[in-house]
Amino acid sequence: MDCLFCKIIERAIPSSKVYEDEMCYAFRDINPQAPVHVLVIPKLHFASMDEVTADNSKYVAHIFECIPKIAAAEGLSGGYRVISNCGDDACQSVKHIHFHILGGRQLSEEMA
Ligand code: AMP
């Protein structure tokens, strides 16, 4: 499968790892939009929020258990934002579901 994030999980493409376990992988965004910008991805490939099903939702639930731990490890005690872009209108550029963790500065009240 020609998926950038699958290749990152397989180490075929290098990344800056932040966290990993049996279900997910977290790494630094190559084009950070904030002092802390981490991407969290499931080790199972599915494209986006539109493809969440009863069979794979445990990966999403697990990622949401990991996000507060990753945020704490990154020192985001003042807060942070979690974003998942889904589809073209949201400018999703990589078709492997992922969750952006953004923080380390006061974020804008604007979300879109
Ligand atoms: P999205 O636009 O929501 O699909 O987010 C995709 C994110 O992946 C963007 O923020 C990119 O900067 C990031 N990205 C693309 N290629 C890489 C890479 N090789 N390593 C780390 N982050 C990447």
Side-chain angles (χ1 to χ4, degrees), residues 11-63:
R11 310 307 204 261
I13 292 175
S15 66
S16 178
K17 180 173 116 174
V18 169
Y19 174 80
E20 181 176 21
D21 63 25
E22 68 285 359
M23 296 180 81
C24 71
Y25 184 74
F27 57 106
R28 298 196 190 284
D29 196 292
I30 203 167
N31 182 26
Q33 305 292 313
V36 174
H37 188 170
V38 172
L39 300 173
V40 192
I41 60 178
K43 288 190 171 178
L44 180 72
H45 178 90
F46 50 106
S48 74
M49 203 74 76
D50 276 345
E51 292 192 2
V52 175
T53 66
D55 287 335
N56 63 28
S57 61
K58 59 181 175 290
Y59 284 85
V60 177
H62 180 74
I63 284 171

